[in-house]
Amino acid sequence: MTLFLQILVMIFSAVVDIWLFCLFAQIKPGKLDWLLLLALEAVLSVALSNFQTYSSLIYETGLEILLFCGYFYLLKKAGRFRQLLGAGLLFGIISLVIQLGMKVLVSLLPLPNYFYFDAFMNLLLPLAVLALVIWRRQRITNLLTDTNSSILVSLLAYLYFVCCAIGVYLLDDEKPTEVVLLFFFLLIFQAIFLAVIYREIVHIQRQLLDQQQQEALARQQEQLIKENEQLKEYAAYLDQNEDELRRFKHDYQNILLSLKVSAEKGGSQALVEELEKYTSSQFDQKALRKYPDVNHVKIPELKSIAIAKLAKLYNEKIDYSFGCEPEISQIPQTNLLDLVRIIGIAFDNAIEASQQLEALGGQGRVEAMYYQEGGDFEFMIRNRIGGPAADPGKLAQAGYTTKEAHAGLGLANVKEIVSQHDEQMLLDYGPEDGWFNFSLTLLSENVEEEI
């Protein structure tokens, strides 16, 4: 009976150790993994059983951490090393705390048969810990994988070595109850102290990050306001001259056509060729259409961002079109800086995707428009894409990108801005028939007249 109970406890402890590690490391071991790890655990337990000391549990736990991390990281190539190490340290700390907790209970309670108590607790406590871990698994794995995971793993390593040191001192020899309690509560105090340190470090980091983000946003808004002021002046000039230039072009071409007919009747072929040569040198069709329909946009902020991005498209030699029909002089009341940020991000994404497409030998093109009907304002833009497009859900995740050396924050930032105006802004995007379409609608609950 005693041998059977020992084997049962050994197998159960090995299964719980592997299960805890895999839960923390977010790994799903296969049947072969289970068999190999259980076999290695059995060999390890038999090899260390010759020591006949409780402190051998400390050595066994340390070797288990090395075994699990080495097996999954080196052989299976599963998970990141930092997360694997954190998972190993966590289950190691749990194992040692259970043993130290049992030592405290033995010191406090008179037990006539310690063997059966030890076996019972080695079955009950790991089961309770396993249930708790399964309940809080997502929270624990998030801590092991977030940006502060290196801090957490460092603190866990410190706590693990503290557990080992206290375990070596307490487990083998009989110590007075006062000494056992003192060291056990010292361990608890260390754990609480490390938890407070971790929380404060994370809090300070978040404050610094928030401050940096706020400063970056302030600089971005300041730059945007500055660009708007510069572009407003340029936009006013364009408004005064674009329609006159179009009328001049139209009249000139009519005059040129009549001269051409007269010259052909008179047999002056040389005059015809000279006139055509002069025409081609004077009219750059693309240059004349650099800012199409921008003069129909009467809202300075929307006009300015359109001019800036159309100029970028022109300079990058990307084929594009822009439309604004009918004339827009009013929009639903909203935060114009947020609206301009969204439009700017959408243009930038389309430009970068077109550059990437042309680098692969494709023909990039961007089509954008402002549109208004029934008081609602709509901005639409689309760009050609090459090959299958990424899942729209992934595209909106922070950090996901299909572009090289790119942070992947564009659509994630757009969604964050739209979420602040979710009752007013409607967002739609996704690939269709070789194009990536982006649409933002501003609903007209209140309309603000732009003068």
Side-chain angles (χ1 to χ4, degrees):
M1 181 66 180
T2 302
L3 179 61
F4 172 77
L5 198 55
Q6 285 179 331
I7 294 174
L8 178 63
V9 170
M10 183 183 71
I11 294 174
F12 182 77
S13 297
V15 169
V16 170
D17 287 346
I18 297 171
W19 200 350
L20 281 175
F21 178 86
C22 292
L23 284 175
F24 292 142
Q26 294 179 300
I27 294 173
K28 293 183 178 179
K31 294 181 180 179
L32 182 60
D33 298 325
W34 275 104
L35 291 175
L36 287 174
L37 289 173
L38 286 173
L40 292 171
E41 283 266 26
V43 171
L44 195 61
S45 297
V46 171
L48 291 174
S49 64
N50 296 327
F51 290 97
Q52 296 297 323
T53 61
Y54 285 105
S55 61
S56 64
L57 294 171
I58 297 173
Y59 310 134
E60 182 178 354
T61 302
L63 291 173
E64 281 180 326
I65 294 173
L66 295 177
L67 171 65
F68 294 162
C69 291
Y71 178 79
F72 285 108
Y73 185 73
L74 298 177
L75 295 181
K76 302 296 290 185
K77 308 295 183 183
R80 295 184 303 170
F81 181 75
R82 185 184 298 165
Q83 185 178 3
L84 294 175
L85 179 59
L89 291 170
L90 266 176
F91 97 80
I93 291 170
I94 291 171
S95 299
L96 294 176
V97 169
I98 288 175
Q99 295 302 319
L100 291 171
M102 290 169 59
K103 183 72 173 180
V104 172
L105 290 176
V106 169
S107 299
L108 293 175
L109 303 174
L111 298 171
N113 195 330
Y114 175 73
F115 175 77
Y116 289 104
F117 173 79
D118 181 73
F120 176 74
M121 296 304 292
N122 271 304
L123 292 173
L124 179 62
L125 290 180
L127 196 61
V129 170
L130 186 60
L132 181 63
V133 168
I134 292 175
W135 177 48
R136 301 294 294 173
R137 176 179 57 183
Q138 191 60 49
R139 173 61 178 165
I140 296 171
T141 53
N142 287 343
L143 292 174
L144 288 173
T145 54
D146 66 11
T147 55
N148 299 299
S149 59
S150 59
I151 300 173
L152 179 62
V153 171
S154 300
L155 295 177
L156 287 175
Y158 171 78
L159 185 60
Y160 173 75
F161 286 117
V162 170
C163 289
C164 290
I166 294 177
V168 169
Y169 178 71
L170 292 181
L171 290 177
D172 280 340
D173 302 326
E174 289 296 329
K175 298 291 189 301
T177 302
E178 294 80 3
V179 174
V180 173
L181 289 174
L182 174 64
F183 277 89
F184 185 75
F185 283 112
L186 177 62
L187 175 61
I188 299 299
F189 173 77
Q190 286 281 309
I192 295 173
F193 179 67
L194 292 178
V196 172
I197 288 179
Y198 174 76
R199 184 173 180 179
E200 288 302 313
I201 291 175
V202 171
H203 179 67
I204 292 172
Q205 282 193 336
R206 286 177 178 171
Q207 280 186 325
L208 292 174
L209 182 60
D210 289 342
Q211 183 179 354
Q212 291 174 353
Q213 289 177 338
Q214 289 174 359
E215 290 176 354
L217 182 60
R219 288 195 298 268
Q220 183 180 8
Q221 290 180 339
E222 183 180 352
Q223 180 67 21
L224 189 59
I225 292 172
K226 183 178 179 181
E227 289 178 357
N228 278 337
E229 292 299 326
Q230 294 173 343
L231 290 171
K232 282 178 184 178
E233 183 179 354
Y234 184 43
Y237 171 80
L238 287 177
D239 279 346
Q240 295 173 4
N241 291 278
E242 183 172 340
D243 287 334
E244 293 180 6
L245 180 60
R246 288 181 183 176
R247 286 194 296 270
F248 171 75
K249 174 190 171 184
H250 182 265
D251 295 342
Y252 177 83
Q253 286 177 326
N254 287 336
I255 295 171
L256 181 62
L257 180 61
S258 64
L259 290 174
K260 180 177 179 181
V261 172
S262 300
E264 286 176 346
K265 288 182 179 179
S268 303
Q269 186 62 33
L271 178 59
V272 173
E273 293 176 357
E274 185 66 25
L275 285 171
E276 289 182 345
K277 181 179 178 181
Y278 177 76
T279 302
S280 62
S281 66
Q282 292 298 317
F283 289 105
D284 180 351
Q285 296 295 328
K286 189 175 180 181
L288 287 173
R289 296 293 296 168
K290 185 175 181 179
Y291 303 107
D293 283 354
V294 170
N295 63 315
H296 295 162
V297 184
K298 302 303 180 182
I299 301 171
E301 289 79 5
L302 297 183
K303 182 195 293 284
S304 298
I305 190 64
I307 289 172
K309 299 308 177 182
L310 294 179
K312 186 173 182 180
L313 284 163
Y314 180 83
N315 294 332
E316 295 292 336
K317 296 181 172 57
I318 298 172
D319 189 25
Y320 68 92
S321 67
F322 178 81
C324 180
E325 294 288 348
E327 185 177 277
I328 294 178
S329 60
Q330 59 183 12
I331 60 168
Q333 185 176 0
T334 190
N335 186 320
L336 286 174
L337 286 178
D338 284 348
L339 180 60
V340 169
R341 284 180 64 200
I342 293 173
I343 293 172
I345 291 171
F347 264 110
D348 289 339
N349 285 347
I351 292 170
E352 290 172 6
S354 299
Q355 290 172 330
Q356 188 179 39
L357 179 60
E358 293 188 347
L360 297 175
Q363 180 61 46
R365 178 171 172 80
V366 176
E367 298 177 356
M369 70 174 295
Y370 292 158
Y371 180 73
Q372 194 164 34
E373 183 178 6
D376 294 345
F377 170 76
E378 186 170 4
F379 165 68
M380 292 177 287
I381 186 170
R382 67 175 191 163
N383 58 273
R384 283 199 185 114
I385 53 177
D391 179 66
K394 291 184 177 180
L395 287 172
Q397 295 176 3
Y400 182 86
T401 179
T402 59
K403 311 176 187 78
E404 296 181 2
H406 195 270
L409 297 175
L411 280 176
N413 286 344
V414 168
K415 287 193 69 176
E416 182 180 353
I417 297 170
V418 171
S419 68
Q420 299 170 12
H421 308 274
D422 56 355
E423 295 183 356
Q424 187 185 23
M425 290 185 178
L426 300 178
L427 178 65
D428 185 34
Y429 58 86
E432 183 180 358
D433 298 332
W435 294 81
F436 187 85
N437 302 310
F438 179 98
S439 173
L440 178 74
T441 303
L442 199 60
L443 301 179
S444 59
E445 292 181 352
N446 297 302
V447 177
E448 178 182 46
E449 182 73 21
E450 299 290 336
I451 302 176

